[in-house]
């Protein structure tokens, strides 16, 4: 069973990074693309680029804050009215936060959970029902390698991604007999604006051997999704690291991470205003 990528595909977080790269990848095969993000001007720029590449492509831009449930409902109603049923949902919108949990800003943490968990779940719930009725559809969730692992300094973000992994795997089983393909992509570091919003107080970037481009991530994700795979891990290095992690007992990983946890806390304390 394969997802109907030749139909109408809705992509959240489409204005930059992986979402934008997915839109460009899908432009050659989809009937229509629905691009959802908060930044309307970036969506219009992407729409112009897509239409220039393929004039007959239907492109709908929807500037929407997915934290606003009423605005989300209005957006989905507009898509149904103007474009028609959504055949494939790509849940890409989200952001992360770095730091020990007890020193995290609660407002940022709350918004992260609402977007990464609640908004993703709500969109999926709104759109999979009609897919089941039509016996045709697909959901691709952009999760993270963190959705398969744990480490210090990212507690709430990792929790969000574990939720996405659990939801994806369970939903895949729920909908397997209903003609709806559900998959997830779990990348490691990707060179996007995500890193600039992460609050990285260490000043260190991910190693170049493990970081991949959004274009590479999008190609791998869509290739695996098109084949109906449950899980896609783009990049050889991160695939090897996650494979090693899966084989390692949790007690061993806890021991390895204890000194790292102390380093993260000290680095965060040094970065805070007023630190000497």
């Amino acid at each position: 069973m394969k997802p109907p990528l030749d139909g109408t595909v809705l992509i959240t977080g489409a204005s930059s990074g992986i979402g934008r790269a997915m839109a460009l990848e899908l432009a050659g095969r989809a009937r229509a693309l629905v691009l959802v993000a908060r930044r309307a001007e970036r969506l219009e720029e992407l729409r112009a680029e897509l239409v220039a590449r393929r004039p007959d492509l239907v492109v709908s831009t929807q500037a929407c804050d997915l934290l606003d449930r009423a605005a989300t409902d209005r957006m989905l109603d507009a898509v149904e009215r103007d474009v028609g049923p959504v055949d494939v949902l790509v849940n890409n919108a989200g952001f992360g936060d770095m730091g020990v949990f007890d020193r995290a800003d609660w407002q940022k943490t709350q918004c992260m959970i609402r977007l990464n968990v609640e908004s993703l779940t709500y969109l999926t719930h709104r759109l999979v029902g009609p897919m089941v009725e039509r016996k045709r559809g697909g959901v691709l969730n952009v999760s993270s390698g963190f959705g398969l692992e744990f480490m210090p300094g990212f507690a709430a973000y990792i929790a969000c991604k574990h939720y996405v992994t659990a939801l994806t795997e369970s939903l895949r089983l729920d909908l397997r007999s209903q003609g709806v393909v559900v998959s997830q992509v779990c990348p490691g570091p990707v060179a996007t604006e995500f890193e600039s919003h992460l609050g990285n107080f260490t000043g260190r970037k991910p190693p170049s051997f493990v970081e991949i481009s959004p274009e590479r991530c999008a190609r791998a994700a869509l290739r695996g999704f098109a084949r109906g795979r449950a899980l896609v891990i783009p990049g050889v290095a991160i695939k090897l690291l996650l494979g090693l992690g899966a084989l390692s007992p949790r007690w061993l990983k806890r021991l390895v991470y204890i000194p790292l946890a102390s380093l993260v806390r000290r680095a965060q304390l040094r970065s805070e205003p007023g630190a000497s």
Side-chain angles (χ1 to χ4, degrees):
M1 188 167 61
K2 298 180 179 180
L5 291 171
D6 57 343
T8 297
V9 182
L10 187 153
I11 306 171
T12 67
S15 62
S16 64
I18 298 171
R20 185 180 190 280
M22 283 190 175
L24 292 168
E25 279 290 317
L26 288 167
R29 66 175 100 173
R31 180 192 72 82
L33 290 176
V34 179
L35 311 177
V36 180
R38 290 180 302 168
R39 295 173 291 191
E41 68 285 354
R42 286 204 179 185
L43 291 178
E44 289 304 323
E45 290 171 3
L46 178 56
R47 180 186 183 281
E49 184 175 352
L50 292 168
V51 172
R53 290 188 178 193
R54 184 182 155 198
D56 66 327
L57 178 66
V58 176
V59 182
S60 171
T61 58
Q62 300 289 332
C64 178
D65 181 357
L66 295 176
L67 293 177
D68 185 331
R69 195 68 69 236
T72 300
D73 285 333
R74 288 193 298 270
M75 178 271 291
L76 291 173
D77 291 342
V79 170
E80 176 72 24
R81 181 181 64 249
D82 300 337
V83 184
V86 173
D87 298 301
V88 172
L89 168 64
V90 178
N91 278 312
N92 171 68
F95 70 91
D97 191 26
M98 180 179 183
V100 293
F101 183 77
D102 55 286
R103 304 192 73 82
D105 177 78
W106 173 247
Q107 293 302 319
K108 184 176 182 181
T109 299
Q110 185 179 45
C111 286
M112 179 175 65
I113 294 170
R114 289 184 58 211
L115 181 61
N116 295 1
V117 173
E118 290 185 17
S119 296
L120 176 147
T121 307
Y122 183 72
L123 278 171
T124 304
H125 188 265
R126 276 288 308 262
L127 293 175
V128 296
M131 292 180 192
V132 169
E133 290 178 3
R134 298 192 300 272
K135 297 291 184 183
R136 181 176 186 268
V139 178
L140 175 60
N141 289 328
V142 180
S143 184
S144 166
F146 278 147
L148 308 172
E149 274 296 337
F150 65 92
M151 69 179 298
F154 299 91
Y157 176 65
I158 290 176
C160 291
K161 292 307 181 180
H162 273 263
Y163 174 90
V164 174
T165 292
L167 177 71
T168 303
E169 293 286 4
S170 299
L171 190 61
R172 181 179 175 88
L173 296 174
D174 282 350
L175 303 183
R176 181 180 177 83
S177 63
Q178 303 304 307
V180 181
V181 179
V182 183
S183 304
Q184 67 171 326
V185 54
C186 289
V190 181
T192 68
E193 294 177 3
F194 177 90
E195 292 181 11
S196 64
H197 298 298
L198 188 62
N200 185 351
F201 46 81
T202 67
R204 298 180 179 179
K205 290 181 62 65
S208 58
F209 75 89
V210 77
E211 187 175 65
I212 63 174
S213 69
E215 292 76 18
R216 183 179 174 188
C217 182
R219 285 193 298 270
L222 292 171
R223 183 168 59 246
F225 184 42
R227 294 171 180 170
R229 292 173 56 188
L231 171 64
V232 182
I233 301 175
V236 175
I238 195 66
K239 191 175 296 184
L240 290 173
L241 289 171
L242 288 174
L244 180 62
L247 296 173
S248 303
R250 282 183 175 265
W251 65 263
L252 178 60
K253 287 186 281 190
R254 292 189 196 105
L255 287 177
V256 171
Y257 284 143
I258 285 172
L260 178 59
S262 297
L263 289 172
V264 170
R265 181 176 291 273
R266 287 200 296 269
Q268 184 170 0
L269 290 173
R270 286 195 301 268
S271 73
E272 292 179 352
S276 57

